[in-house]
Amino acid sequence: MKKDILLINGLLFSPESGESQGQTRHYIKIAAGIIQDIGPMDQCRVDDLCPVVDASGCLMLPGLINGHCHGAMTLFRGLADDLELMNWLENHIFPAEAKCVTPEMVYWSSKLAAAEMIRGGITTVADGYFYEDAAARAFADSGMRAVAAHGVVDFPAPGVPDPALKFQVVSDFIDQWQGHERIVPAVFAHSPYTCGPETLQAAKVLARSKGCLFFMHLAETKQESEGIKTKTGLSPVRYLQSLDILDGSSVCVHGVWLDAEDIALLAEKNTKVITCPESNMKLASGIAPVKELVETGVCVGIGTDGAASNNTLNILQEMGSCMMLQKVSGGGAPFLSEKHVFEMATSKGAQVLGLEKSIGSLEPGKRADVVLVDMDQFGLMKPFDSYASLVCSASGVDVKTVIINGEVVMDNREIVSFDEKEAMSRVRRLAEKVRG
Ligand SMILES: [Zn+2]
């Protein structure tokens, strides 16, 4: 039975529930994991039996959403840098994964990722990996909310030594996790260059039959785009369309190399996109046309990608990078606004994940995923414009308290839902094997 919580004296910051409420202090009443009521402090009734969290000096934000991650790759952070995607992937990451990925590795490395994300105000992550059952357990045990998508590729993979059995493994994983309060299972077909057309179609059929989201890295590099065009005569997006994969439950991750026809098709099919600007910069993949996607009506969220290609899991930082990258890419100074980027990490991120009815904003009836950001810090001490302060100046250290599904998981900068030091020491030990 969940405890009720009353947050008091905080400054409400949730665009969808009526914009930032200026300097008026507000309360948020949480009951059974749900936001029951929000209002100005002069209307707050304190119930003696309800635990109170004093949010004085804090902004109260909806929990941030990391729309794309491979949590387990915290183990490989710093393993291979200054490389382009295919060299990085084929000569460094795939071999390290073949050697080191076990359920134990995925569990502890994902738990370490959870600690890093919680510390940065992320309450929901869309994760994709192998042994995703261990990742889902790590996120469940950490107190986070996760869309956990099981990886699919054509070749033998960790936990799926026989590719012929891959859909049985994914199907069993989905059956095991469907109905969990915070974990939503999904399918992650790695990419069109690791999955042939039959695999892509079968993965989508499985996702449809289970009512799950279908994720895929798509149009990440020029090389990938040109390779698919040479083989099929189609762009990556039109190739997916030819396989009947584009619909409102498909999420294309990256979407860097898209033309106007691709973008119009994504909008028509209501297919969502997650942009990962720092990963795209670090792997020299290019700049996603976020401006054109948004203007054409595509719902775009934002993600960090894995820690080996970023190298942090910090959505506050990612928001700033996204906004600035779009401005230098030809969008001009008015685009992309801090407000829009903040929505990409909250309400629009929730829409991408099909969770807009339950998370993404602070409103009565929604799940209580609330982040308190300390305004007594350099970046936020005089917020002339709270969006600009959050997107351009805030960092993880400003995040003070994190509540997920009505449970306090970080209290005054201390993670209380699990032992993050244990996760650190386990991952340090696992790292010895990567080096050896
Ligand atoms: Zn990725």
Side-chain angles (χ1 to χ4, degrees):
M1 181 80 173
K2 282 190 178 64
K3 278 185 273 177
D4 294 354
I5 301 174
L6 181 64
L7 293 168
I8 59 168
N9 292 324
L11 298 181
L12 190 63
F13 192 81
S14 181
E16 297 70 24
S17 56
E19 184 58 72
S20 167
Q21 300 294 318
Q23 296 304 304
T24 310
R25 291 180 303 158
H26 276 67
Y27 72 90
I28 299 178
K29 177 77 198 295
I30 297 168
I34 307 260
I35 297 174
Q36 195 179 51
D37 191 21
I38 299 176
M41 278 308 293
D42 58 11
Q43 292 170 22
C44 180
R45 276 192 297 276
V46 178
D47 168 357
D48 289 345
L49 296 174
C50 180
V52 169
V53 174
D54 189 356
S56 294
C58 290
L59 288 174
M60 302 192 291
L61 314 181
L64 301 176
I65 297 169
N66 184 358
H68 180 64
C69 189
H70 314 287
M73 294 184 81
T74 53
L75 180 66
F76 302 130
R77 184 188 336 243
L79 178 68
D81 294 278
D82 302 325
L83 300 167
E84 293 189 5
L85 177 79
M86 294 316 288
N87 183 359
W88 174 80
L89 202 55
E90 288 176 353
N91 298 322
H92 300 270
I93 298 301
F94 283 161
E97 287 182 333
K99 190 171 87 174
C100 303
V101 176
T102 62
E104 185 201 11
M105 172 272 179
V106 172
Y107 181 84
W108 288 109
S109 305
S110 299
K111 217 163 179 186
L112 187 66
E116 183 176 353
M117 288 192 273
I118 289 167
R119 286 199 167 277
I122 296 168
T123 55
T124 298
V125 59
D127 189 77
Y129 212 62
F130 297 100
Y131 287 123
E132 190 63 20
D133 174 57
R137 274 191 289 115
F139 293 123
D141 291 352
S142 74
M144 276 191 84
R145 191 180 301 287
V147 176
H150 200 296
V152 173
V153 290
D154 277 338
F155 45 85
V160 196
D162 179 359
L165 299 177
K166 56 186 175 285
F167 293 115
Q168 192 55 52
V169 172
V170 180
S171 175
D172 291 347
F173 162 76
I174 292 168
D175 291 345
Q176 193 185 335
W177 285 94
Q178 258 176 343
H180 190 281
E181 198 176 13
R182 283 181 287 105
I183 308 296
V184 180
V187 178
F188 169 46
H190 176 270
S191 65
Y193 54 87
T194 52
C195 299
E198 296 81 17
T199 298
L200 293 175
Q201 280 179 313
K204 183 63 191 180
V205 166
L206 175 65
R208 273 198 188 113
S209 74
K210 301 278 186 187
C212 290
L213 288 178
F214 171 95
F215 293 85
M216 184 176 192
H217 293 131
L218 192 76
E220 182 174 0
T221 64
K222 193 175 181 190
Q223 184 187 356
E224 172 201 329
S225 263
E226 286 176 349
I228 292 170
K229 264 182 202 152
T230 305
K231 249 194 227 163
T232 68
L234 299 168
S235 71
V237 169
R238 297 199 277 282
Y239 172 55
L240 286 199
Q241 167 65 3
S242 76
L243 300 175
D244 187 28
I245 284 174
L246 299 183
D247 62 22
S249 298
S250 288
V251 180
C252 298
V253 176
H254 297 302
V256 174
W257 294 89
L258 305 174
D259 62 25
E261 199 181 323
D262 294 329
I263 293 171
L265 190 54
L266 291 171
E268 184 197 320
K269 295 291 176 183
N270 193 25
T271 299
K272 317 296 194 299
V273 170
I274 291 288
T275 186
C276 303
E278 293 196 358
S279 175
N280 296 156
M281 284 193 274
K282 188 157 185 289
L283 294 169
S285 301
I287 302 174
V290 175
K291 179 180 195 286
E292 291 77 4
L293 285 161
V294 169
E295 283 179 351
T296 313
V298 178
C299 184
V300 183
I302 183 167
T304 58
D305 213 346
S309 67
N310 186 307
N311 289 358
T312 66
L313 307 179
N314 185 335
I315 278 289
L316 287 165
Q317 181 184 306
E318 199 80 32
M319 287 194 285
S321 297
C322 181
M323 180 273 294
M324 288 190 266
L325 189 60
Q326 290 301 313
K327 283 175 174 162
V328 298
S329 73
F335 198 84
L336 192 62
S337 75
E338 286 88 355
K339 181 173 186 286
H340 192 97
V341 176
F342 181 76
E343 288 170 355
M344 286 165 67
T346 52
S347 55
K348 292 189 193 306
Q351 216 179 316
V352 171
L353 302 182
L355 297 173
E356 67 274 19
K357 289 200 176 93
S358 53
I359 60 168
S361 61
L362 299 179
E363 292 174 85
K366 285 203 169 181
R367 291 270 147 197
D369 292 3
V370 188
V371 172
L372 304 186
V373 181
D374 186 358
M375 295 172 72
D376 198 17
Q377 298 287 327
F378 296 122
L380 290 151
M381 56 181 277
K382 45 176 175 48
F384 299 123
D385 176 335
S386 299
Y387 288 112
S389 299
L390 280 166
V391 171
C392 303
S393 320
S395 69
V397 295
D398 305 329
V399 176
K400 194 173 175 186
T401 294
V402 175
I403 295 170
I404 304 175
N405 210 38
E407 304 275 359
V408 177
V409 296
M410 184 165 81
D411 181 15
N412 202 12
R413 297 186 174 84
E414 186 190 346
I415 292 181
V416 293
S417 52
F418 66 102
D419 183 352
E420 66 178 324
K421 290 276 187 297
E422 184 188 12
M424 273 187 183
S425 79
R426 294 276 193 158
V427 172
R428 273 198 195 100
R429 250 182 281 162
L430 287 162
E432 285 162 21
K433 198 175 166 201
V434 181
R435 280 191 210 101

